[in-house]
């Protein structure tokens, strides 16, 4: 409708007014789609309409109309070029972020290898034990099929547990293009906590969760957001693992209001100094011996790419609170 109005005004008016320059607005609207081919098509279409309008216009000064038409074409071409270039640059930036985030996930999985191996070894040990038990019940005299069946049932349950852990790891380290889906936030957090469970136990941390009722599903990249939660949880567990005294409490919570969802990870580890809090999300800044200082920086990039905000604050009476907010109706490209 807007395009038709511009074309009509540019064609029937008897004044030398460069109505066609208004096609720039159409191109800028098209640029919001994030598709370069679509923007190029719209730009070419607007240029064609400008030429057709000049040909069809029979009134007014032809020379002035020619100059105005040429200026409009220049504006259309320039706007189309800049829109495509900006989108191409943003696409490269998003891909670079995705590659960096994937590398960070692989690094995190490498650090958690021992914990994940421990998590898998438990059901595997159960499978072996219950398998032997089933054989004993079958070899007994008289055999006991019911006991053997129950033992085999436990084998299946343990096998499912091991498969679920492996499946979560595979989903997290798989290199997949960024996507946006409505996700169950509680399920997303719980899966991250399962991956970090052995690390939480190793550092003798007491974990609690507090989820709001009927949390709306945010529009996010599931793998990337899970990486953020995992980073925050593992950092908190490692921080409390170095404590000599005091409680080691970890509270992971999620709540929402009319406009946003807030996820927070609250620990009772060491409290950071104000100068450290101000820098903790900067790349290569770390408070951990041997740390790379990339985990929180990548987490911030991921959250901001979703239109959200990540934050750090002091916990009372000791420790830190790291968390992030997500808008409920984000439309930004992840």
């Amino acid at each position: 409708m807007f395009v038709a109005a511009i074309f009509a005004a540019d064609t029937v008016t008897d004044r030398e007014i460069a109505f066609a320059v208004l096609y720039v607005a159409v191109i800028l609207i098209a640029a919001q789609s994030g598709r370069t081919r679509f923007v190029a098509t719209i730009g070419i279409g607007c240029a064609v309409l400008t030429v057709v309008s000049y040909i069809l216009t029979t009134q007014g000064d032809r020379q002035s109309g020619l100059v105005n038409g040429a200026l409009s074409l220049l504006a259309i071409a320039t706007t189309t070029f800049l829109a495509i270039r900006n989108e191409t640059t943003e696409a490269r930036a998003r891909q670079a972020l995705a590659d960096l985030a994937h590398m960070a996930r692989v690094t995190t999985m490498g650090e958690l290898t021992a914990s994940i191996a421990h998590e898998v070894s438990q059901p595997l040990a159960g499978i072996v034990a219950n398998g032997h038990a089933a054989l004993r019940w079958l070899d007994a005299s008289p055999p006991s099929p019911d006991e053997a069946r129950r033992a085999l049932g436990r084998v299946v349950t343990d096998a499912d547990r091991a498969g679920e852990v492996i499946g979560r790891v595979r989903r997290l380290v798989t290199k997949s293009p960024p996507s946006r889906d409505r996700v169950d936030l509680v399920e997303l957090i719980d899966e991250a906590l399962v991956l970090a469970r052995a690390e939480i136990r190793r550092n003798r941390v007491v974990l609690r969760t507090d989820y709001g009722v009927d949390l709306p599903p945010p529009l996010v990249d599931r793998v990337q957001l899970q990486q953020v939660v995992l980073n925050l949880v593992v950092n908190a567990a490692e921080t409390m693992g170095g404590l000599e005294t005091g409680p080691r409490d970890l509270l992971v919570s999620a709540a929402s209001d009319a406009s946003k969802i807030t996820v927070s990870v609250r620990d009772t580890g060491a409290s950071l100094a104000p100068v450290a809090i101000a820098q903790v999300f900067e790349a290569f800044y770390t408070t951990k011996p041997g740390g790379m200082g990339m985990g929180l920086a990548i987490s911030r990039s991921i959250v901001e790419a979703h239109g959200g905000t990540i934050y750090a604050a002091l916990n009372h009476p000791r420790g830190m609170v790291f968390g992030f907010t997500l808008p409920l109706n984000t439309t930004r490209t992840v």
Side-chain angles (χ1 to χ4, degrees), residues 22 29 84 96 106 111 117 125 165 213 225 233 242 258 263 269 296 300 312:
L22 296 178
I29 293 173
I84 292 175
V106 173
E111 294 172 350
V165 173
V213 179
L225 256 294
V233 170
V263 176
L296 289 178
R300 180 178 66 176

Side-chain angles (χ1 to χ4, degrees), residues 316-329:
H316 180 77
R318 187 179 70 173
M320 294 294 299
V321 182
F322 284 87
F324 59 88
T325 63
L326 295 173
L328 287 180
N329 298 311

